[in-house]
């Protein structure tokens, strides 16, 4: 079945450091991939998405590239800010007829000033 | 922001009592979902709906039931609450067009404590 595996947290970085959160997936067909972000006390918000191989999703300085050969969708940001502290979820949706989304366990990011 | 509200936002209840959580949307989206979020488990799908009166079970549906009598409302009921159902519950919505399914939008969550 479909699954998403992302690196365990928490990840603690200093402000302006480079961020990578790893995400790999297992899926039948050709899934769409997503990163969601959850700030304290709030629901999940879509951060970025990619719908086919080699697509790059980007938003608010975050980027992720859909790599079919390595079944990965790693999240990166060149210079993190304290305001980026949140929980990040990698997710996939199998486009072969399903409308359900499978979520990873989430990775908590702490950014220190 | 997508128009999704959840009520109540916080609830404390006793073991064995029934509890109903409400999700209301103003986006006219076809699909609605209930998830629970617990440390170490991410989000787990409880039930979902693909239209009025059309619902199905997710991966953790035991002890929960749902109803959708109108496009805009999706109710989650715990028939007899247990301590293992203490969690944060999120509602989500999504839409599709011409076979293309779009991303989910989430409500603010309901924190439920069963004592």
């Amino acid at each position: 079945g479909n699954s998403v595996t992302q690196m365990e947290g928490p990840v603690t970085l200093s402000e302006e450091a480079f961020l990578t959160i790893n995400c790999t997936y297992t899926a039948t067909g050709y899934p769409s991939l997503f990163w969601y972000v959850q700030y304290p006390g709030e629901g999940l918000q879509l951060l970025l998405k990619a719908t086919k191989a080699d697509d790059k999703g980007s938003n608010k300085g975050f980027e992720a590239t859909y790599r079919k050969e390595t079944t990965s969708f790693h999240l990166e940001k060149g210079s993190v800010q304290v305001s980026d502290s949140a929980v990040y979820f990698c997710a996939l949706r199998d486009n072969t007829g399903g409308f359900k989304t499978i979520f990873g366990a989430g990775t908590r990011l702490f950014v220190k000033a | 922001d997508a128009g999704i509200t959840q009520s109540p936002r916080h609830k404390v209840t006793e073991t064995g009592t029934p509890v109903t959580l409400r999700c209301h949307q103003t986006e006219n989206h076809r699909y609605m979902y209930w998830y629970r979020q617990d440390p170490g488990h991410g989000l787990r799908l409880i039930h979902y709906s693909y239209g009025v009166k059309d619902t199905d079970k997710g991966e953790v549906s035991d002890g929960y039931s749902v109803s959708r009598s109108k496009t805009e409302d999706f109710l989650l009921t715990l028939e007899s609450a247990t301590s293992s159902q203490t969690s944060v519950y999120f509602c989500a919505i999504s839409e599709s067009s011409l076979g293309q399914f779009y991303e989910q939008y989430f409500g603010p969550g309901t924190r439920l404590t069963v004592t």
Side-chain angles (χ1 to χ4, degrees):
Chain A
N2 297 340
S3 66
V4 174
T5 302
Q6 58 183 108
M7 62 188 290
E8 289 190 26
V11 174
T12 302
L13 296 173
S14 297
E15 211 166 21
E16 299 184 3
F18 184 85
L19 169 70
T20 299
I21 300 179
N22 290 337
C23 172
T24 57
Y25 67 88
T26 302
T28 56
Y30 306 94
S32 293
L33 301 174
F34 308 87
W35 277 101
Y36 285 83
V37 59
Q38 183 181 32
Y39 299 103
E42 299 183 9
L44 278 70
Q45 304 173 25
L46 180 67
L47 181 59
L48 53 84
K49 66 179 180 182
T51 58
K52 61 182 187 297
D54 300 325
D55 269 1
K56 177 186 284 188
S58 61
N59 186 25
K60 300 181 181 179
F62 291 90
E63 294 182 339
T65 301
Y66 187 161
R67 302 285 188 200
K68 193 170 190 296
E69 64 275 14
T70 56
T71 62
S72 65
F73 192 55
H74 305 321
L75 182 68
E76 297 181 336
K77 188 176 185 183
S79 175
V80 293
Q81 306 300 312
V82 172
S83 58
D84 293 327
S85 297
V87 181
Y88 293 82
F89 292 90
C90 185
L92 75 81
R93 187 186 62 234
D94 186 342
N95 289 326
T96 60
F99 48 85
K100 293 182 285 183
T101 301
I102 306 298
F103 290 87
T107 301
R108 184 175 295 277
L109 171 66
F110 292 106
V111 181
K112 303 180 297 183
Chain B
D1 290 345
I4 311 170
T5 57
Q6 294 184 230
S7 59
R9 295 293 312 280
H10 301 272
K11 186 168 182 67
V12 179
T13 192
E14 293 184 349
T15 298
T17 60
V19 177
T20 295
L21 309 182
R22 180 182 184 236
C23 176
H24 179 77
Q25 60 145 329
T26 58
E27 305 296 323
N28 201 37
H29 281 8
R30 177 180 175 187
Y31 303 96
M32 298 187 75
Y33 313 79
W34 277 108
Y35 292 91
R36 60 178 290 173
Q37 183 179 29
D38 304 288
H41 290 279
L43 273 76
R44 292 182 291 176
L45 183 65
I46 305 171
H47 280 281
Y48 61 96
S49 170
Y50 46 96
V52 173
K53 294 189 169 60
D54 292 323
T55 65
D56 206 347
K57 297 178 180 180
E59 61 181 305
V60 290
S61 59
D62 288 348
Y64 302 94
S65 62
V66 290
S67 65
R68 190 169 179 201
S69 59
K70 298 184 290 185
T71 298
E72 57 265 36
D73 289 327
F74 192 33
L75 304 181
L76 176 71
T77 297
L78 290 65
E79 302 290 348
S80 177
T82 67
S83 58
S84 63
Q85 294 176 311
T86 292
S87 187
V88 181
Y89 291 85
F90 287 99
C91 174
I93 64 174
S94 69
E95 191 49 274
S96 69
S97 175
L98 300 176
Q100 172 79 28
F101 292 93
Y102 301 115
E103 60 271 17
Q104 295 185 348
Y105 296 94
F106 285 81
T110 294
R111 182 173 296 276
L112 176 68
T113 302
V114 183
T115 61

